[in-house]
Amino acid sequence: MPVFGGWLRNVPDEGMAASWDYAKRLTQASERWGYDLTLIAELNLNDIKGIEQPALDAWSTAAALAAVTERIELMVAVRPNFHHPALFAKAAANIDRIAGGRLALNVVSSWWADEARQYGLQFDQHDDRYARTDEWLRVVDGLWTEPRFSFEGRFYRTENAICAPKPVRRPVVYAGGESEAAKTMIATRCDAYVMHGDPVAAVAPKIADMRARRQRAGGPPMQFGMAAYAIVRDSEAEAKRELERITTVTDLPAGYANFDQWLSGTQLERDLQVQEYSVSNRGLRPNLVGTPEQLKERIAEYEAAGLDLLLLQMSPQAEEMERFAVQVMGTA
């Protein structure tokens, strides 16, 4: 869901406004085209186009979409330090009721310290963020599954709390992270592991590792998802020309405000890093760029490695999603 008005940091206007009207029309069209799920990101500041630009609120958008869609799963990002778990459980259960059981969570242990500071919200050190998330999920799950729920922890406390009505079904909980603290928490508390984009050779061992962690934790099998930016064209040359268009960067625009923070965590040469940062969530690394046949082959390789879900970014989103549905999915 392009809640930031797009995915490209170096293309100011992608023709997909950060507006309720666009979000509604796109999501309703997505159902017609055969897509299964939309991820609605939660950031109060716009990390793609620059912090002065608009960004839709995740949870009010999700509630509105729940009422005007029928089939698509709404995976909504939530950051525990921004939501008290008992109050969140109550509101989210109601949204799930409106959606008829189509709500899912993408639990994000916040990374943007400046955003939290601007809004006067708690921002913990790295491992404490995952410790908070662990407690937060215990409270939310307790309220969703028990008639009354009491909890006493380091971060949260409840006393015989009631959540009624409860969700139609317990929402699937997705989460991502590559640190030891993150993977331990996810293998213990979550249902699905979502990753930034990477080649198959990098994704396959991550899936194997999380499967082993899950087995040791005694939980049921996990699902696995990955972000990817897709370009499908009739010829490979056309696809490469579009890739060049979206990654050509001259002066760094406003969307690159967090570039240096991102840069510190990787070893590529700076020019290549600038090109890669032009698309969010490492979306270009899976190389879903080419003809319909090439994309089908690459997606099949990810499926063989154990991937269940692709979270696709495209630009302009509506036009490219319809093209992808026709030429790759064969559903539109």
Side-chain angles (χ1 to χ4, degrees):
M1 172 70 60
V3 296
F4 310 116
W7 304 111
L8 305 176
R9 291 189 168 99
N10 57 312
V11 178
D13 185 1
E14 299 176 61
M16 42 209 239
S19 69
W20 160 244
D21 180 65
Y22 187 85
K24 179 179 70 172
R25 288 187 290 108
L26 178 65
T27 311
Q28 290 173 330
S30 299
E31 288 192 317
R32 295 196 303 271
W33 296 328
Y35 289 91
D36 297 308
L37 176 150
T38 182
L39 168 59
I40 305 172
E42 181 183 60
L43 283 175
N44 296 305
L45 301 178
N46 193 322
D47 180 46
I48 304 297
K49 300 299 184 183
I51 63 172
E52 304 296 333
Q53 298 303 310
L56 296 183
D57 171 70
W59 283 92
S60 55
T61 300
L65 286 172
V68 299
T69 54
E70 296 178 355
R71 186 189 58 80
I72 199 163
E73 185 174 354
L74 303 171
M75 186 213 291
V76 193
V78 57
R79 291 173 295 169
N81 59 320
F82 283 27
H83 300 267
H84 188 281
L87 298 176
F88 171 84
K90 177 75 174 176
N94 198 51
I95 295 173
D96 184 70
R97 286 269 166 179
I98 296 168
R102 292 182 287 120
L103 182 68
L105 306 186
N106 174 32
V107 179
V108 180
S109 298
S110 297
W111 58 270
W112 199 349
D114 189 52
E115 182 203 28
R117 224 174 358 254
Q118 287 192 29
Y119 281 79
L121 294 161
Q122 176 69 31
F123 189 82
D124 303 308
Q125 294 303 308
H126 182 276
D127 285 6
D128 283 346
R129 297 204 292 275
Y130 289 99
R132 176 185 293 277
T133 298
D134 186 280
E135 276 193 19
W136 190 91
L137 284 169
R138 289 166 66 187
V139 173
V140 170
D141 196 57
L143 281 160
W144 280 346
T145 57
E146 299 184 21
R148 287 180 175 269
F149 183 71
S150 297
F151 183 82
E152 187 84 42
R154 177 181 164 197
F155 300 98
Y156 301 110
R157 178 179 179 275
T158 65
E159 185 177 332
N160 290 323
I162 298 171
C163 178
K166 297 191 183 301
V168 174
R169 62 162 178 98
R170 179 186 170 278
V172 175
V173 177
Y174 298 80
E178 299 184 359
S179 69
E180 189 64 25
K183 289 185 285 190
T184 299
M185 187 278 296
I186 294 166
T188 305
R189 297 285 172 207
C190 301
D191 307 302
Y193 184 58
V194 287
M195 298 164 277
H196 290 313
D198 263 322
V200 174
V203 167
K206 291 180 182 179
I207 291 174
D209 174 57
M210 289 302 291
R211 279 179 173 160
R213 289 171 183 266
R214 182 65 157 194
Q215 191 171 23
R216 290 194 297 271
M222 301 189 79
Q223 300 175 50
F224 297 94
M226 182 188 72
Y229 189 95
I231 300 172
V232 58
R233 293 292 186 271
D234 293 333
S235 71
E236 190 173 0
E238 287 178 272
K240 287 183 177 178
R241 282 196 294 272
E242 173 64 5
L243 177 63
E244 183 177 2
R245 181 188 76 83
I246 70 168
T247 56
T248 298
V249 182
T250 51
D251 298 327
L252 297 187
Y256 284 74
N258 283 321
F259 176 68
D260 287 332
Q261 177 181 323
W262 179 83
L263 185 71
S264 64
T266 180
Q267 300 299 315
L268 297 173
E269 294 178 7
R270 186 177 177 88
D271 287 347
L272 292 176
Q273 291 170 323
V274 168
Q275 182 190 61
E276 185 172 75
Y277 193 71
S278 65
V279 172
S280 70
N281 298 315
R282 301 203 305 243
L284 294 176
R285 290 190 188 184
N287 192 29
L288 295 188
V289 178
T291 65
E293 293 72 25
Q294 288 174 321
L295 265 65
K296 288 176 187 178
E297 289 176 7
R298 288 168 196 158
I299 291 168
E301 290 172 0
Y302 281 103
E303 187 174 13
L307 198 70
D308 303 295
L309 171 70
L310 278 171
L311 298 164
L312 294 173
Q313 306 159 342
M314 304 178 201
S315 179
Q317 191 94 0
E319 293 84 346
E320 294 297 322
M321 282 182 69
E322 184 173 21
R323 184 203 300 263
F324 188 95
V326 170
Q327 295 189 304
V328 180
M329 294 161 55
T331 56

